[in-house]
Amino acid sequence: MLQLIIDILLIVWLVTLTYLSFRRKSEELKPKVPRLTLRKNKKRYIVFKVLSDHDDINVQDMEKQIRMALQELLGKVWLDISNPRVVIYDPGRMSGIISTNRLGYKAVLAALPFVKSVEDKEILLVPVRTTGSLKKAKHLMRQ
Amino acid sequence: MLVETCLRNEALIPILKKIGYSSFLIEGGGAVATIGRITLTAEKYPHGEIDKAFSRGHLVFFRPNSRDSLIKVINDERVCCIVLDNTNLHLYKRPLVRLMVRKGKFVEVWLRSSSHEVVRRAIELGNRGLKTVFSSCPSKISEVWSPISKLNYLLILGASSPLALTWIYSFPLELYRNASANY
């Protein structure tokens, strides 16, 4: 009886070893491809202020000027990547929010001083803060 | 304390204060009690003009147009800062840059009149240990650069963030403190 148990254990042990050696060989044959993990390109919101002598500034024109400035600075590739949009603009407070993403927010911040005028009105766009949520950006804008 | 090392229009002071700057060097001096500066440009080294500006109590900034004047300005202790722009970028060769680093001269880059290539070159010089200062030198509201935009602009052109912060915050402050100590 004891002999039988020892035989069974030996057979199980040998089968396990054979399985492991085959598995290792098959893994060695497979080409090793490094697994790249891309961070998700999440949204970023830039709260900005407009300094100008004129109060009536058209939002569409301002967005157009921001996009043109970015394209002039870094080209169409970065314009498409960052895709800046003025999502909220409050003419009373002369401040607004630009929507962009994590990859391109630095490009947008760098391009803001290149916006010199909107509809021949001299303006200065001053970035105040960059946040990850629109709710917080709205809160900052109201402050 | 954030310092704007070049301001061409005193009317912009409230705007700069809103943005976050607290001290300024006004071109030609001003009615406001701040430290004035004078930028000189010449082919030949203007000893007389420098004497005159220095005796008036202004900080002397010099924009050299030739190699000789650059060498002279590096060795002149009355001139505190050298201006780098599109016109004199070719003068900044390695031996002169080494001399400037040894003498502890400041180099100022005007963002409004410099191409991206000049700024990129200034970043390289800054990486070699040169005391670089980036100034917008505004005369009207649309020429003002906010500090956050300056920082991100330098980062995009290849500067490291600790060095970029030093160039925007620490070196202008050092320049201003040296100037204040002279008064």
Side-chain angles (χ1 to χ4, degrees), chain A residues 106-107 109 113 116 122 124 127, chain B residues 116 140 142 144 146 149 152 156:
Chain A
K106 284 183 182 175
L109 286 172
K116 303 285 182 197
E122 266 196 312
L124 172 65
Chain B
H116 305 314
K140 48 187 181 179
S142 59
V144 177
S146 71
S149 295
N152 283 288
I156 276 176

Side-chain angles (χ1 to χ4, degrees), chain A residues 2-135:
Chain A
L2 186 67
Q3 185 61 46
L4 185 68
I5 292 168
I6 290 168
D7 286 349
I8 290 167
L9 280 173
L10 267 172
I11 288 164
V12 168
W13 175 239
L14 285 170
V15 167
T16 315
L17 277 178
T18 319
Y19 170 73
L20 285 173
S21 67
F22 272 116
R23 196 179 155 187
R24 189 178 288 174
K25 273 181 190 172
S26 65
E27 275 180 3
E28 279 172 3
L29 286 171
K30 277 182 192 170
K32 283 183 180 173
V33 181
R35 206 174 161 190
L36 295 171
T37 49
L38 271 176
R39 288 170 78 193
K40 197 182 169 192
N41 196 11
K42 288 183 179 174
K43 287 256 182 187
R44 286 288 177 268
Y45 297 95
I46 299 168
V47 183
F48 69 97
K49 275 185 182 174
V50 180
L51 298 179
S52 173
D53 299 332
H54 308 273
D55 298 338
D56 51 335
I57 291 164
N58 191 349
V59 187
Q60 277 82 30
D61 285 334
M62 187 160 62
E63 186 182 306
K64 198 178 162 189
Q65 289 297 324
I66 292 169
R67 293 177 76 84
M68 275 172 65
L70 183 57
Q71 190 171 2
E72 197 184 323
L73 179 66
L74 289 167
K76 197 166 182 321
V77 175
W78 278 99
L79 174 63
D80 288 348
I81 288 171
S82 55
N83 193 20
R85 302 219 170 267
V86 180
V87 285
I88 295 169
Y89 180 68
D90 184 355
R93 294 175 192 273
M94 297 277 278
S95 61
I97 299 169
I98 299 172
S99 145
T100 175
N101 51 48
R102 193 156 60 182
L103 278 176
Y105 78 97
K106 284 183 182 175
V108 178
L109 286 172
L112 288 183
F114 292 96
V115 180
K116 303 285 182 197
S117 62
V118 175
E119 299 171 314
D120 298 329
K121 294 164 193 162
E122 266 196 312
I123 62 160
L124 172 65
L125 299 180
V126 184
V128 178
R129 182 100 180 256
T130 308
T131 65
S133 74
L134 188 59
K135 191 179 167 188

Side-chain angles (χ1 to χ4, degrees), chain B residues 134-146:
Chain B
F134 292 90
S135 168
S136 48
C137 215
S139 57
K140 48 187 181 179
I141 188 168
S142 59
E143 287 172 356
V144 177
W145 280 63
S146 71

